[in-house]
């Protein structure tokens, strides 16, 4: 399995995967093609806040992830958020998720690594816990700016 940076030619396949991911119970919001396209464009451009990764097995895209960068004043360190981590059904259970988590932990060894997961997504939670991630007792809140 190869982990590589997302490139523009991956856009159609990643868009399809995002549609599946965001319509699943793993995510609370449905998203939209407009948002997905903007996310992909930021991943393949020089955006300093978002990185996109693709997981390839035997020349086929098995999944993708998007990493957002910030700073944690709580821990006094840079913070990376695993925003999306999607693996196609056909490739699940092969250790790709764990391999990607290890990759990110090595790449960002001095950063706090955070992610969100739906409580019902027991399979993903098991993978995260196996890799040393623990739940935080926070309630997340948000305010989305109104469209102009």
């Amino acid at each position: 399995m190869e982990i590589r940076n997302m490139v523009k030619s991956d856009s159609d396949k990643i868009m399809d995967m995002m549609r599946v991911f965001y319509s699943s119970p793993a995510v609370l919001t449905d998203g939209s093609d407009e948002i997905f396209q903007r996310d992909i464009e930021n991943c393949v451009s020089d955006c300093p806040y978002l990185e996109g990764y693709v997981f390839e097995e035997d020349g086929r895209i098995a999944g993708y992830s998007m990493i957002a960068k910030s700073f944690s004043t709580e821990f006094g360190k840079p913070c990376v958020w695993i925003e999306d981590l999607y693996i196609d059904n056909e490739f699940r259970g092969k250790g790709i998720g764990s391999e990607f988590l290890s990759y990110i932990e090595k790449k960002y060894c001095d950063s706090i690594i955070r992610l969100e997961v739906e409580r019902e997504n027991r399979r993903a939670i098991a993978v995260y816990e196996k890799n040393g991630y623990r739940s935080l007792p926070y309630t997340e809140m948000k305010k989305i700016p109104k469209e102009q």
Side-chain angles (χ1 to χ4, degrees), residues 44-110:
V44 301
S45 71
D46 59 357
C47 177
Y49 306 111
L50 191 64
E51 294 177 353
Y53 295 92
V54 168
F55 318 133
E56 272 190 346
E57 191 165 293
D58 299 324
R60 296 171 48 212
I61 296 178
Y64 78 95
S65 185
M66 294 183 184
I67 305 296
K69 299 176 191 177
S70 65
F71 190 89
S72 172
T73 58
E74 180 178 359
F75 298 102
K77 293 182 173 223
C79 180
V80 293
W81 280 87
I82 300 174
E83 289 286 340
D84 290 19
L85 176 51
Y86 175 82
I87 299 165
D88 201 350
N89 280 335
E90 177 183 351
F91 297 96
R92 291 182 187 166
K94 296 184 175 189
I96 294 172
S98 292
E99 189 172 336
F100 180 69
L101 293 173
S102 178
Y103 174 88
I104 290 300
E105 290 163 15
K106 287 176 187 156
K107 181 173 182 176
Y108 293 102
C109 59
D110 194 37

Side-chain angles (χ1 to χ4, degrees), residues 1-67:
M1 200 271 298
E2 176 188 3
I3 298 170
R4 63 170 175 79
N5 290 346
M6 192 180 292
V7 295
K8 191 162 185 63
S9 60
D10 299 323
S11 296
D12 290 342
K13 182 66 175 170
I14 301 303
M15 177 70 86
D16 290 342
M17 289 181 165
M18 290 181 82
R19 288 180 185 127
V20 172
F21 181 52
Y22 278 85
S23 65
S24 77
V27 183
L28 283 178
T29 57
D30 292 337
S32 69
D33 281 2
E34 179 184 340
I35 292 170
F36 303 157
Q37 188 60 47
R38 193 173 20 200
D39 290 345
I40 293 167
E41 287 172 10
N42 279 302
C43 284
V44 301
S45 71
D46 59 357
C47 177
Y49 306 111
L50 191 64
E51 294 177 353
Y53 295 92
V54 168
F55 318 133
E56 272 190 346
E57 191 165 293
D58 299 324
R60 296 171 48 212
I61 296 178
Y64 78 95
S65 185
M66 294 183 184
I67 305 296

